[in-house]
Amino acid sequence: MDNATIPNSEFVLRWRNVQELMKKKSIDLLFAYGDDRAVFGPAHVRWLADIPVHFEPLCVMLLPHGDPILLSGPESNQYALLRGKIKDVRVLEEFTHPDEEYPYSIIQSLKDILTNLGWERSHIQRVGIGGLQLISCGTLQTLKNELPGVEWIDMEADLVSLRAVKTPAEITLIRRAYQIADAGITAAVEAVAPGKTERAVSAAAEAVMRSAGAEGFGIDTIVASGPNSRPILARSTFREIQKNDHVLLTFAPRYEGYHGAVGRMVFVGEPDPQIERAYQTAVKAQEACGSLMRAGEPGSTVEAAGRDITAREGYGEYFLYSGLHSVGLIEFEPPIFGPDTPGKLVENLVMSVDIPLFNAPWGGLRVEDGYLVTQSGAEKLSQSEYYFFR
């Protein structure tokens, strides 16, 4: 399993699937935009080109036939050629910095690139775009200026749906990501002690996860103690862990682009009985969701099992977001199931059962693990124990 990758043939299949989607939607040209925002930014480019986006934006441009073109800034093109699966890389004028000069780069406008490819402007009527929520207003307007009068179609949901069901190669990488997350949990638990700062614990966990192969993290590593555990998205600080504290851990390492996500609680000394009871409830809720998960089951039904348990125990108002979401090139990506979300689970989705109890008077907690959906049930991918006492 070490050093596993996605085979080249799988990227070609992804390109053809996108082109088939373009035909169904009557899309003449499609842009799949990516940037280096850690949570959502790289996904489209990583899926189509296998490039970890950094510093400059990248954009995969697909025509209805042929192989894609990668549009880059002038400082990313050589890395993209070295690392990526797309061999036609063009430096796009719209991705250059206005205050920088690049005298040895061949820089082209979008219009020049399309002309070079033999495409007449009149052939392009409908342009699809993925990553519309990421692209800056200025960059989008510049692209629109290069293609005046065309209809722009938001293709985000369509592109995300193509990558929802995971292939065997993807599942292999995700398994490894969960192993790395489990290793991080173990390291963090060992590091937790009165007088240790949250950041010291976070550093110990991240060092182990990096050594195990993590290229980065889908969300900032969360080590939050005592009152710092109350918000949904806590951040690790210089607060020193106290005797009888509770410590929230949430780790989402990225391995070859794919994530694992594990959430746990560590109790230091004698735990507060109300926090321990809330955590026991969250564990029961997650186990109930996992037991129901299988292909063909409505996602909202699975999520409701956990939500109902927490509500019966008096914690309903602290279950603050949808408790069932997919994991892949984004740590928290569609399909996402809450109480009113339509849709059913299908085989080879990787779903995170995330039981969140936050904004409570006593703080907050999360129990989170990944599951591979099969026809007969679900395989739990994370192996960390539920209960840790220090």
Side-chain angles (χ1 to χ4, degrees), residues 141-218:
Q141 188 57 54
T142 303
L143 294 178
K144 288 184 175 182
N145 291 343
E146 292 286 296
L147 295 169
V150 305
E151 182 181 4
W152 289 78
I153 311 297
D154 185 354
M155 299 288 288
E156 182 69 16
D158 300 279
L159 290 174
V160 169
S161 68
L162 287 180
R163 66 171 193 257
V165 176
K166 304 304 187 288
T167 66
E170 290 178 303
I171 292 169
T172 295
L173 299 185
I174 293 171
R175 287 184 189 279
R176 180 59 178 157
Y178 275 103
Q179 290 176 355
I180 293 170
D182 285 337
I185 294 290
T186 298
V189 171
E190 292 175 351
V192 166
K196 275 284 192 74
T197 68
E198 295 169 348
R199 287 189 182 172
V201 175
S202 177
E206 288 195 0
V208 167
M209 288 188 284
R210 286 283 192 177
S211 296
E215 66 183 54
F217 302 91

Side-chain angles (χ1 to χ4, degrees), residues 1-160:
M1 188 176 293
D2 287 345
N3 302 319
T5 59
I6 303 296
N8 290 343
S9 58
E10 196 158 308
F11 287 95
V12 176
L13 180 61
R14 292 172 183 182
W15 303 342
R16 303 303 173 236
N17 287 340
V18 173
Q19 288 169 326
E20 185 63 29
L21 174 65
M22 292 171 66
K23 292 176 184 177
K24 291 179 181 178
K25 297 279 186 175
S26 299
I27 301 296
D28 304 307
L29 181 67
L30 186 141
F31 297 105
Y33 176 87
D35 62 27
D36 61 1
R37 276 171 276 191
V39 178
F40 296 100
H44 289 312
V45 172
R46 195 63 187 267
W47 190 66
L48 290 167
D50 198 24
I51 301 173
V53 189
H54 184 66
F55 188 67
E56 296 178 321
L58 295 173
C59 189
V60 178
M61 184 175 74
L62 290 110
L63 301 170
H65 51 77
D67 290 347
I69 295 94
L70 185 72
L71 307 177
S72 83
E75 299 187 34
S76 302
N77 60 323
Q78 293 304 309
Y79 177 71
L81 285 166
L82 178 68
R83 175 66 169 82
K85 306 301 183 184
I86 296 174
K87 300 309 177 186
D88 189 347
V89 179
R90 313 288 181 100
V91 177
L92 184 67
E93 182 178 350
E94 288 78 7
F95 286 168
T96 60
H97 194 286
D99 297 329
E100 288 275 11
E101 296 184 40
Y102 305 96
Y104 303 107
S105 297
I106 299 174
I107 300 172
Q108 298 174 288
S109 69
L110 178 60
K111 180 179 179 181
D112 291 337
I113 292 171
L114 291 172
T115 299
N116 180 258
L117 292 170
W119 268 74
E120 298 291 338
R121 163 64 189 83
S122 59
H123 294 165
I124 303 172
Q125 302 297 321
R126 286 166 56 87
V127 176
I129 184 166
L132 185 60
Q133 77 279 20
L134 299 171
I135 194 167
S136 71
C137 293
T139 300
L140 180 61
Q141 188 57 54
T142 303
L143 294 178
K144 288 184 175 182
N145 291 343
E146 292 286 296
L147 295 169
V150 305
E151 182 181 4
W152 289 78
I153 311 297
D154 185 354
M155 299 288 288
E156 182 69 16
D158 300 279
L159 290 174
V160 169

Side-chain angles (χ1 to χ4, degrees), residues 283-321:
V283 170
K284 291 177 183 177
Q286 191 202 66
E287 290 176 333
C289 292
S291 68
L292 290 178
M293 199 179 303
R294 59 184 48 80
E297 190 73 21
S300 59
T301 300
V302 175
E303 201 260 7
R307 192 174 289 272
D308 290 347
I309 287 172
T310 59
R312 286 199 303 269
E313 295 297 325
Y315 302 109
E317 64 185 296
Y318 308 129
F319 199 129
L320 297 182
Y321 55 79

